[in-house]
Amino acid sequence: MISRKKTFVLQCICTCMLVFPSVGMAVPAQVAPIQASNGNSTNLDVVQAIYVSTPAELNAAISGAVEGTMIVLADGTYADTAFPIVSKNGSETNPIVIKAANQGKAVIAGSSYLNVDKSSFVTIQGLKFIQNATTIPAAVRMINSNHVRLTGNTFALTQPYNQSGYKWVSLEGATSHHNRIDHNEFGPRADLGQMIAFQGNVMSKYDVIEYNYFHDSLAQPVNGGETIRAGLSGSSMTEGFATIQYNLFDNLDSDDEIVSVKSSSNTVRYNTFLNNKGQVTSRHGMNNSFYGNYFLGDGVKAGVGGFRIYGNDHKVYNNYMQNLTHFPLDIDSGDFDGGSDGTNYTSGDLAKHWRVYRALVVNNTIVDSANGITIGRKYDKDKPPVDSRVANNIVRNSKGTLYNERIQSNTVFEGNIGYGSTVSNEPHSSSEILNVDPGFTLVDGLQKLSAASPAIGAAVGSYPFVTEDFDGQPRDAYDVGADEYSAAPIVRKILTPADVGPNALD
């Protein structure tokens, strides 16, 4: 993790000078250790530090950048110029760094944008993006690039509404991989489009989106306002291996899909979702995992939900959901059947809602919400989920049907607890759904297991991927629900703005 205090570039040049060098000047420099994404510190040897204050100087510095170059932007506005970063390659220990001298005070405006193409080990840090042009492809576009890091930036573009929508950050290209988007702020937003979009028919691979603050997007009249869209219909059968973790999503109303996963083998974990009008949707693709997330609503705002699932072999576990007004967990029916192995399709079928096969919905907790776990909510009655399992969940609501099978399926229920309202609309034995008070106690605003809870040690079945609970405590007795009754240290909590975004780099 980069510390802005440690890397304050004037200190890197001379400890006794606090004046800005002549613009365009290249001087030798050493920078303080940068915290790598694996938690290890690496010393970076800067070949040269180049100081710029105009768009022309910035482009000239980029054109001449080599491994270890640090380009430092003076406070001011860099408007109406494209900044191509093409075939520029740093290294793991000596990246090419483009950064603001002062956090958020180098402003990319008008029709300016950064286009990173066929490049590697490039870091873009501390800039503020407020473009208002309708012609830019994205504020930052990464094409066929790898190990590009976008960190500590602020995105608050003010483009006018366009029905096609705008992308703020775009990742694309069959040879893109291992990029990192961390500690940025995205919002507010009033227009249509995605804040982060994975583009193209082949997913960029092994990218990490973490510790970002997404907030305050307004409702839109048409579809296409996802906060993060991980793929497209055409890329849904390609594996992305993306990890979306430790982000805060707050008051995002621009689309029914807050995070829309449209590719395979991705992970969405340890995020906090606060009062967003929408759900996290596994819209296309296979073998995605969703675990350890918090979904919290105010109980009043309409449309605040959890998950909606389509496709094969997804895992949804250890999620905590409270005061939601929409559907916390929806294992939907489909309008297309791609088959048990997901190979029965043509290209025209990729945009459809694929029938669910073998979803594992395990150890989730839903409390004080309008709905519980729903099977087959929306689409064809003849395409219910197949060979799926709903196990060791707790639903405690005062209204609605807690386990609602809107269409019949062969879904296996085991070890679940339901309490406070109609348990199910289909007959289930107590070993499938036990109607008993789960014995919660309020801890930091969350309903967790008390010492007398009947959920303790009551989990059944074999789900070896559930090794810890939603706040990072190890699973010892294997309790029902997202919480494990434990004295072990709590590793993860609800995220706040202080935990994410540019300020969390301090």
Side-chain angles (χ1 to χ4, degrees):
M1 184 179 296
I2 297 176
S3 169
R4 294 194 307 277
K5 294 177 180 177
K6 290 183 179 178
T7 59
F8 184 55
V9 70
L10 298 182
Q11 291 177 340
C12 298
I13 306 303
C14 180
T15 58
C16 62
M17 292 181 62
L18 293 177
V19 295
F20 207 80
S22 298
V23 294
M25 178 180 178
V27 293
Q30 288 283 326
V31 296
I34 184 172
Q35 192 73 15
S37 59
N38 62 5
N40 298 321
S41 293
T42 305
N43 287 311
L44 304 182
D45 295 326
V46 175
V47 174
Q48 58 182 357
I50 302 174
Y51 298 83
V52 302
S53 63
T54 69
E57 290 174 347
L58 176 55
N59 263 334
I62 292 171
S63 178
V66 296
E67 180 181 345
T69 296
M70 176 181 284
I71 302 170
V72 184
L73 282 68
D75 297 356
T77 301
Y78 299 76
D80 302 325
T81 304
F83 300 111
I85 305 166
V86 181
S87 299
K88 293 296 175 181
N89 299 288
S91 65
E92 183 174 7
T93 55
N94 298 308
I96 295 169
V97 179
I98 301 170
K99 64 170 294 187
N102 295 293
Q103 171 69 43
K105 293 187 177 181
V107 180
I108 310 300
S111 59
S112 292
Y113 65 97
L114 277 67
N115 197 71
V116 187
D117 189 4
K118 295 185 286 293
S119 296
S120 64
F121 293 102
V122 175
T123 295
I124 299 167
Q125 180 182 353
L127 309 181
K128 183 174 183 178
F129 296 86
I130 62 166
Q131 295 98 314
N132 59 8
T134 61
T135 55
I136 63 173
V140 178
R141 188 182 186 195
M142 292 179 267
I143 313 166
N144 289 318
S145 295
N146 65 84
H147 295 93
V148 176
R149 185 179 182 193
L150 193 61
T151 184
N153 302 284
T154 300
F155 293 85
L157 280 69
T158 57
Q159 294 157 307
Y161 176 83
N162 182 299
Q163 192 164 344
S164 298
Y166 304 103
K167 296 158 186 62
W168 286 7
V169 175
S170 174
L171 298 97
E172 52 196 276
T175 59
S176 286
H177 61 91
H178 288 95
N179 300 296
R180 184 182 179 203
I181 301 172
D182 70 283
H183 292 93
N184 303 284
E185 179 179 354
F186 294 85
R189 181 166 192 167
D191 65 299
L192 182 68
Q194 298 82 40
M195 294 184 180
I196 300 177
F198 290 75
Q199 294 289 101
N201 288 330
V202 178
M203 271 284 287
S204 177
K205 291 180 171 53
Y206 298 105
D207 300 309
V208 177
I209 301 172
E210 61 183 353
Y211 296 104
N212 299 287
Y213 180 30
F214 301 94
H215 64 94
D216 298 300
S217 63
L218 298 181
Q220 299 298 319
V222 296
N223 184 43
E226 305 97 324
T227 301
I228 299 176
R229 192 189 65 206
L232 291 163
S233 301
S235 65
S236 58
M237 303 310 291
T238 67
E239 293 181 305
F241 305 106
T243 301
I244 300 170
Q245 63 181 4
Y246 296 110
N247 301 286
L248 173 58
F249 300 84
D250 186 1
N251 196 37
L252 300 161
D253 298 346
S254 54
D255 196 274
D256 289 341
E257 300 179 17
I258 306 159
V259 177
S260 182
V261 178
K262 296 184 175 182
S263 52
S264 299
S265 301
N266 304 291
T267 298
V268 180
R269 65 182 183 184
Y270 312 148
N271 302 284
T272 297
F273 297 86
L274 296 180
N275 222 38
N276 305 290
K277 184 181 178 295
Q279 296 169 295
V280 173
T281 304
S282 187
R283 180 63 181 83
H284 305 306
M286 312 292 178
N287 194 38
N288 294 304
S289 295
F290 308 88
Y291 58 92
N293 301 284
Y294 296 87
F295 291 82
L296 306 172
D298 62 7
V300 176
K301 181 178 178 178
V304 178
F307 292 103
R308 183 161 55 106
I309 302 298
Y310 304 97
N312 296 10
D313 298 306
H314 302 308
K315 298 181 181 69
V316 185
Y317 60 100
N318 278 346
N319 299 286
Y320 180 90
M321 307 174 185
Q322 181 172 306
N323 289 330
L324 305 187
T325 56
H326 195 45
F327 289 87
L329 222 161
D330 181 4
I331 311 169
D332 210 350
S333 54
D335 57 18
F336 174 74
D337 190 343
S340 177
D341 59 359
T343 60
N344 181 31
Y345 68 92
T346 66
S347 59
D349 299 319
L350 291 175
K352 297 177 181 178
H353 299 80
W354 283 38
R355 187 178 196 174
V356 173
Y357 282 86
R358 297 177 298 274
L360 298 178
V361 178
V362 181
N363 284 100
N364 301 284
T365 294
I366 300 170
V367 296
D368 301 331
S369 296
N371 298 282
I373 296 176
T374 304
I375 307 293
R377 178 175 70 90
K378 192 172 183 180
Y379 291 101
D380 296 353
K381 291 183 178 180
D382 64 346
K383 296 180 182 64
V386 178
D387 296 336
S388 297
R389 303 182 78 88
V390 175
N392 302 324
N393 303 282
I394 297 177
V395 184
R396 193 210 68 180
N397 297 335
S398 62
K399 55 186 176 182
T401 301
L402 307 183
Y403 296 85
N404 190 352
E405 297 174 79
R406 292 197 171 187
I407 56 178
Q408 291 188 345
S409 69
N410 69 344
T411 301
V412 172
F413 290 78
E414 62 178 355
N416 301 286
I417 290 176
Y419 186 75
S421 186
T422 302
V423 173
S424 181
N425 59 332
E426 295 290 340
H428 284 286
S429 68
S430 60
S431 64
E432 294 174 314
I433 306 173
L434 180 63
N435 183 9
V436 63
D437 187 337
F440 287 136
T441 185
L442 195 64
V443 179
D444 295 331
L446 303 177
Q447 299 290 346
K448 305 190 74 173
L449 301 184
S450 67
S453 171
I456 295 174
V460 299
S462 178
Y463 303 97
F465 51 90
V466 185
T467 59
E468 59 182 17
D469 73 353
F470 75 128
D471 52 19
Q473 294 174 311
R475 293 276 183 181
D476 294 323
Y478 287 93
D479 302 340
V480 177
D483 181 40
E484 184 84 358
Y485 184 75
S486 174
I490 290 176
V491 177
R492 293 182 294 272
K493 296 183 178 181
I494 295 170
L495 295 169
T496 71
D499 302 315
V500 294
N503 293 332
L505 283 171
D506 283 330

